[in-house]
Amino acid sequence: MNAIKKITVKAPGKLMVMGEHAVVYGYPCIVTAIHKHITAEVEIIEAHIDQYETPDVTDQRFIRSALKLFKDTYQIDTCLKLTTKSELGTYGLGSSAATVVATIKALAVLFGKNLSDKEVFDLSYRVVLTIQGKASGFDIAASMYGGTIYFNGKTKEVIPLTRDTLPLLAAFSGVKADTVSLIEMIKQKRENYKKGVDAIFENIEKLVIEAKRAMEEKDWKRVGMLMNYNQNYLEDLGVSTDRLNTLISAAIKGGAWGAKLSGAGGGDCMIALVPMEKKNDVVEAIKEVGGEILDIASSVNGVSRVTMF
Ligand code: PMV
């Protein structure tokens, strides 16, 4: 019998800072965890089937697949009730990855499996791959480790970059992105013109490596400039939209050091790196063109246990 009956674990969402798409092909990216979370509660119940209560998570495939993989891996047949609460909304802030990480971590503790971070990462990554087909795992890493990290798309190794809150602003474009279709679109493009797409990825990698250095030196102005260059390559890849471009231009005109889309593109969020004294101007400039400013800050916290009974 398990001594613990119920556990609650929370995991943060993320914002991709630089390196999206290239990271799927083994190049590095920079991602930051945010101070908004998914909370997963896992409870042992007397029942014949597992129960799910996920009012803010409409796509239950991730949590169901996480439970199935964990049960299959450790040959568990106990019935469970899984409940989630989300502060992440539907802005593309990594709710699926955070749900998977929180669920796997909660199950590991509940069933006394002394899993290393790497093992939690590997199980979570398998879940996301099962559902999405192709993914880098950057969002899982952010959710696991917290902070602003340099994520190696090939080895999945993580290097913490800074524990400072980034001078970051995020705005929603008003359109939900379809990450799976955008990954597929890039895959097609690469099949048609491998040399050209790989050249873009290599240039993005150079920017990410340079931004890593600039971040370690807290040279935000330089990071902003590198973000702008990264945005140009994302436009070349065809994943930005008029809407995102309008928000990005507004942020730059308002005085941001740099701005770009964040994530797969096609919609979701844009981010801007902004000097403190320009924050209000940038917020106003983004609002003026209809952008929805999100209340988001980078955070040092990764997945963590909240309660246990
Ligand atoms: O759309 P998001 O926020 O899940 O970001 C996707 C980022 C990609 O690089 C396109 C995919 C990935 O798994 O890294």
Side-chain angles (χ1 to χ4, degrees):
M1 277 305 276
N2 295 62
I4 315 167
K5 295 274 177 232
K6 185 159 131 179
I7 177 164
T8 309
V9 168
K10 67 175 189 172
K14 58 78 193 150
L15 276 173
M16 174 68 98
V17 181
M18 286 177 67
E20 47 271 90
H21 287 292
V23 68
V24 177
Y25 294 85
Y27 297 92
C29 76
I30 295 174
V31 54
T32 191
I34 59 173
H35 74 310
K36 300 219 163 166
H37 300 85
I38 287 278
T39 305
E41 182 188 273
V42 182
E43 183 180 4
I44 294 175
I45 53 168
E46 299 288 335
H48 299 294
I49 52 163
D50 297 316
Q51 295 173 14
Y52 296 88
E53 204 175 305
T54 64
D56 331 295
V57 179
T58 40
D59 187 351
Q60 281 192 344
R61 287 177 306 162
F62 289 90
I63 194 163
R64 284 178 184 269
S65 170
L67 181 57
K68 183 173 184 324
L69 178 65
F70 190 87
K71 281 190 159 186
D72 289 351
T73 305
Y74 296 103
Q75 290 163 8
I76 290 165
D77 54 14
T78 313
C79 275
L80 299 161
K81 181 175 178 191
L82 274 66
T83 309
T84 58
K85 279 199 199 90
S86 172
E87 300 166 346
L88 298 176
T90 51
Y91 301 112
L93 298 172
S95 60
S96 303
T99 302
V100 173
V101 168
T103 303
I104 297 283
K105 181 77 184 175
L107 289 166
V109 178
L110 188 63
F111 289 98
K113 307 291 171 203
N114 198 11
L115 300 190
S116 66
D117 286 349
K118 174 86 175 68
E119 286 169 316
V120 176
F121 176 91
D122 287 346
L123 281 174
S124 302
Y125 187 40
R126 273 173 64 192
V127 171
V128 172
L129 283 181
T130 306
I131 293 159
Q132 266 186 225
K134 217 165 166 48
S136 68
F138 81 106
D139 42 6
I140 297 166
S143 215
M144 287 271 321
Y145 301 103
T148 302
I149 57 175
Y150 178 90
F151 176 73
N152 184 321
K154 195 180 285 164
T155 61
K156 313 300 172 194
E157 182 201 4
V158 165
I159 302 175
L161 287 184
T162 173
R163 296 182 70 81
D164 288 0
T165 301
L166 303 183
L168 205 63
L169 227 155
F172 184 56
S173 65
V175 180
K176 186 79 207 84
D178 181 351
T179 302
V180 175
S181 308
L182 283 146
I183 292 177
E184 182 57 31
M185 184 187 100
I186 297 297
K187 184 172 162 249
Q188 299 279 329
K189 280 199 177 175
R190 192 167 173 269
E191 273 164 18
N192 292 337
Y193 186 36
K194 187 169 181 303
K195 222 169 128 192
V197 173
D198 284 350
I200 293 179
F201 287 164
E202 275 154 31
N203 286 328
I204 291 176
E205 176 183 38
K206 286 188 192 125
L207 297 176
V208 170
I209 291 170
E210 177 80 31
K212 171 180 183 284
R213 219 171 296 140
M215 263 193 192
E216 283 163 347
E217 290 164 5
K218 300 189 201 309
D219 186 348
W220 304 120
K221 192 174 169 194
R222 187 156 187 82
V223 177
M225 184 193 77
L226 296 163
M227 281 168 59
N228 288 336
Y229 290 141
N230 192 166
Q231 172 62 20
N232 292 340
Y233 287 121
L234 290 165
E235 285 172 30
D236 292 346
L237 286 172
V239 295
S240 199
T241 63
D242 290 346
R243 184 93 199 98
L244 284 163
N245 294 346
T246 302
L247 299 179
I248 290 163
S249 302
I252 302 289
K253 280 191 199 126
W257 281 311
K260 61 182 278 297
L261 67 84
S262 170
D268 280 349
C269 293
M270 57 79 71
I271 51 170
L273 212 61
V274 183
M276 184 65 103
E277 67 280 8
K278 292 280 184 192
K279 193 169 169 188
N280 287 343
D281 293 347
V282 176
V283 166
E284 284 315 311
I286 292 175
K287 279 187 183 165
E288 220 161 87
V289 293
E292 180 186 346
I293 301 288
L294 300 180
D295 172 24
I296 289 177
S298 57
S299 161
V300 292
N301 298 319
V303 65
S304 60
R305 206 177 306 167
V306 184
T307 57
M308 211 156 72
F309 298 105

